[in-house]
Amino acid sequence: MPRTLHEVVFVDGVRTPFGRAGDKGIYAQTRADDLVIACIRELVRRNPSLPPERIGEVAVAATTQIGDQGLTLGRMAALLSGLPSTVPGYSIDRMCAGAMTAVTTSAGSIAMGAADVVVAGGVEHMGRHPMGEGVDPNPRIVSERLVDESALVMGKTAENLHDRYPSLTKERCDAFAVGSQRKLSEAYAAGKVQPDLVPVAVRSVEKGWGLATADEPPRPGVTMADLASLSTPFRPHGRVTAGNAAGLNDGATACLLASEEAATELGLPVKMRLVTYSFVGVEPEVMGYGPVPAAEKALAQAGLRIEDIGLFELNEAFAVQVLAFLEHFGIADDDPRVNPWGGAIATGHPLASSGVRLMTQLAAHFAEHPEVRYGMTAMCIGIGMGGAVVWENPHHADYRSSTNTNTDTNTDHHHQQQQEQQR
């Protein structure tokens, strides 16, 4: 029997302020699961028309699934958030793209009609659980030369990507990093970031109890001269530094997804429509290249071109990774469509949580730019992968017609592209 697939929409997204990992970070005395619980509770509070029992799934990602990030975190977080015991949950790991995968996997449940509304997000407490804690990589992956040893150290893969793209100099990466810090500082000054931040009660040995209300990693006012003096820890005389890469961070995100029908029924806002998504594998030694083929595949699936994308939220694990994407597609380093509020170099990158931060910010950009119809969130993923999600702006004049005829339109566009290539 043929099944009707449901349109999936992004309803709302929140995150905690991101902190610096380590004993002096704001979350040094805070549990990882409590961070994501705060996000789930805030989503429920912000959307009072949503009966909690209508949530059909809670998917929470974590890269290091141990301790307070283990034990089927999605289910535990659902219970601890006060959701009814009838709401199921599960955990996901796709390293940096954990939250992104929580969204796309949950979207599949909605599209198939298995759930009307889901909560998807991610958390990473890198101060409490450093990346790789407790893992035991099979030695065959190196001894049998399936990958180069550098593939297991993300900073080294970034240096390898520099080798592949000699035009992406350290100076270009430093300039991009300075721009990221500046844009985030400007966004904070304009009050753009704060509406989706969840204040978190925190405790430190020195200061006692307090409230985390802003990101801790940013370095506003940093200059090219400041970055030029930093060491290159992954290679002598290298190009990757602490200044042009995301740091080690703690934080959590969560979002609400729904079928378009459920959003209408429950009076929930529709901030974006999910068009399509793609995950691909690349050589692990240059994992930062992953967003390029992921974006190409997603665009082909949607029958779109890179020129159709009016806003980008690209995860800044390393400046060179973003610049490789921009160079491949012929986009300028300082294109205003890219990361309008800065990115992970300034904000921080608590691994599995970052995908939803990108989506939440893209939704806010869509509201400010009704002239933009399509946007993309994309990121590189450890061990050689990339992910990309294409979204449509409900504020665009053609949005309603696209949801009614999207499949036919995209198919025709794709066939037209194929005919042009054959000519």
Side-chain angles (χ1 to χ4, degrees):
M1 179 179 294
R3 179 186 293 270
T4 300
L5 296 180
H6 301 271
E7 294 287 357
V8 180
V9 297
F10 185 97
V11 170
D12 199 6
V14 298
R15 67 178 179 91
T16 67
F18 289 169
R20 296 186 202 127
D23 293 341
K24 296 183 179 180
I26 54 176
Y27 298 130
Q29 303 296 320
T30 304
R31 289 179 60 96
D33 47 11
D34 282 336
L35 294 176
V36 76
I37 289 165
C39 292
I40 297 172
R41 286 175 171 170
E42 178 65 7
L43 285 175
V44 174
R45 186 195 70 80
R46 284 166 49 131
N47 296 275
S49 66
L50 170 64
E53 63 271 15
R54 286 291 297 271
I55 298 174
E57 195 78 89
V58 175
V60 177
T63 300
T64 306
Q65 297 193 10
I66 193 170
D68 52 352
Q69 291 182 177
L71 198 60
T72 314
L73 184 55
R75 172 60 172 171
M76 293 298 292
L79 292 171
L80 290 164
S81 299
L83 298 181
S85 60
T86 52
V87 177
Y90 61 102
S91 298
I92 281 179
D93 171 24
R94 204 197 297 255
M95 298 194 77
C96 299
M100 178 178 279
T101 305
V103 166
T104 56
T105 302
S106 299
S109 298
I110 294 172
M112 291 295 292
D116 290 332
V117 182
V118 300
V119 172
V123 63
E124 208 73 53
H125 200 307
M126 300 181 74
R128 185 169 294 206
H129 304 296
M131 184 168 59
E133 178 190 13
V135 303
D136 180 19
N138 193 312
R140 290 180 47 243
I141 198 167
V142 173
S143 64
E144 297 182 8
R145 300 184 182 278
L146 300 178
V147 301
D148 182 82
E149 289 186 17
S150 64
L152 303 180
V153 179
M154 299 303 101
K156 291 184 178 180
T157 68
E159 289 284 6
N160 294 342
L161 193 58
H162 270 287
D163 294 340
R164 296 284 181 95
Y165 285 84
S167 62
L168 301 182
T169 63
K170 180 179 181 298
E171 289 71 26
R172 280 180 69 180
C173 289
D174 285 351
F176 184 84
V178 168
S180 182
Q181 296 282 0
R182 173 184 53 77
K183 288 189 287 185
L184 179 61
S185 180
E186 292 172 352
Y188 259 106
K192 295 180 181 294
V193 178
Q194 296 90 327
D196 295 322
L197 294 182
V198 181
V200 178
V202 295
R203 181 182 181 277
S204 71
V205 175
E206 296 83 5
K207 300 179 181 179
W209 287 98
L211 195 66
T213 60
D215 294 312
E216 192 178 23
R219 292 284 191 269
V222 71
T223 66
M224 290 289 288
D226 296 330
L227 298 188
S229 64
L230 297 179
S231 63
T232 57
F234 302 107
R235 183 185 296 180
H237 310 293
R239 293 139 298 191
V240 179
T241 72
N244 59 32
L248 304 179
N249 305 112
D250 308 330
T253 61
C255 71
L256 281 175
L257 304 173
S259 68
E260 195 168 38
E261 300 95 325
T264 299
E265 173 198 346
L266 298 172
L268 298 172
V270 173
K271 296 185 177 181
M272 302 192 292
R273 181 182 74 88
L274 197 158
V275 178
T276 191
Y277 66 89
S278 173
F279 293 97
V280 302
V282 297
E283 296 170 77
E285 294 84 357
V286 287
M287 67 96 189
Y289 184 74
V292 171
E296 291 179 328
K297 184 177 179 182
L299 290 169
Q301 289 168 184
L304 297 173
R305 299 178 292 256
I306 196 68
E307 294 80 11
D308 296 317
I309 306 300
L311 286 163
F312 295 86
E313 276 291 334
L314 307 177
N315 192 44
E316 298 171 2
F318 301 93
V320 65
Q321 159 247 313
V322 180
L323 292 178
F325 181 98
L326 300 181
E327 182 141 309
H328 177 85
F329 288 110
I331 301 171
D333 294 2
D334 59 353
D335 192 304
R337 297 174 298 166
V338 178
N339 297 0
W341 298 351
I345 290 173
T347 307
H349 175 32
L351 300 183
S353 71
S354 288
V356 166
R357 178 187 68 80
L358 303 178
M359 296 169 189
T360 300
Q361 293 191 179
L362 180 62
H365 303 329
F366 273 168
E368 290 186 350
H369 295 280
E371 77 281 4
V372 172
R373 185 170 182 180
Y374 297 106
M376 176 182 288
T377 56
M379 60 201 316
C380 63
I381 308 167
I383 319 299
M385 292 179 283
V389 187
V390 178
W391 302 89
E392 186 177 16
N393 186 355
H395 307 287
H396 191 274
D398 295 329
Y399 172 74
R400 177 49 50 192
S401 63
S402 72
T403 57
N404 293 333
T405 62
N406 187 64
T407 301
D408 293 338
T409 301
N410 288 343
T411 301
D412 291 344
H413 190 172
H414 186 52
H415 287 167
Q416 182 180 356
Q417 284 182 302
Q418 290 180 322
Q419 292 172 356
E420 291 175 353
Q421 290 172 355
Q422 290 172 355
R423 295 193 193 104

